[in-house]
């Protein structure tokens, strides 16, 4: 019985190790810069992770990270913002004021 329990624990540990190894090692390196209006300062999100809401009145997003970011038309990162749903590093795109983005 002890062997069965130890064997099950070892197998579970191995599976958990594989699942955690598949996750990204770190956040995107670099900032995502959001432009709103000429009268407001830029919003800068350094090394973003997960879903990030865009500030009110956002009009342009510039990806200065080392990874693609995905734009969404909603604040919950559920509905991709077409036709500009993916922004490559070094590029930008217009956005809606109620959207969000996610670094992949």
């Amino acid at each position: 019985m002890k062997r069965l329990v130890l064997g099950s624990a070892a197998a579970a540990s191995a599976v958990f190790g594989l699942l955690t190894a598949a996750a990204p090692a770190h956040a995107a390196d670099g900032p995502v810069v959001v432009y709103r209006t000429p009268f407001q300062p830029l919003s800068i999100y350094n090394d973003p992770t997960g879903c990030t809401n865009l500030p009110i009145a956002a009009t342009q997003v510039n990806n200065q990270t080392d990874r693609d970011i995905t734009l969404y038309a909603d604040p919950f990162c559920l509905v991709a913002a077409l036709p500009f749903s993916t922004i490559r590093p070094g590029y930008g795109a217009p956005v809606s004021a109620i959207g969000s983005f996610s670094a992949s």
Side-chain angles (χ1 to χ4, degrees):
M1 184 70 167
K2 287 182 182 179
R3 287 184 187 171
L4 179 62
V5 171
L6 291 176
S8 297
S13 177
V15 169
F16 180 74
L18 290 175
L19 292 176
T20 57
H26 57 83
D29 289 329
V32 172
V33 180
V34 179
Y35 173 80
R36 293 178 285 175
T37 70
F39 307 106
Q40 295 173 303
L42 296 171
S43 296
I44 300 172
Y45 302 91
N46 289 309
D47 306 327
T49 60
C51 183
T52 303
N53 289 332
L54 293 171
I56 294 175
T59 58
Q60 174 82 26
V61 171
N62 296 306
N63 181 10
Q64 300 299 316
T65 70
D66 61 347
R67 300 179 186 197
D68 289 351
I69 63 170
T70 304
L71 296 177
Y72 297 91
D74 67 287
F76 308 107
C77 293
L78 298 174
V79 179
L82 299 175
F84 305 108
S85 61
T86 301
I87 303 177
R88 297 185 318 211
Y91 288 82
V95 294
S96 68
I98 60 166
S100 56
F101 72 90
S102 174
S104 52

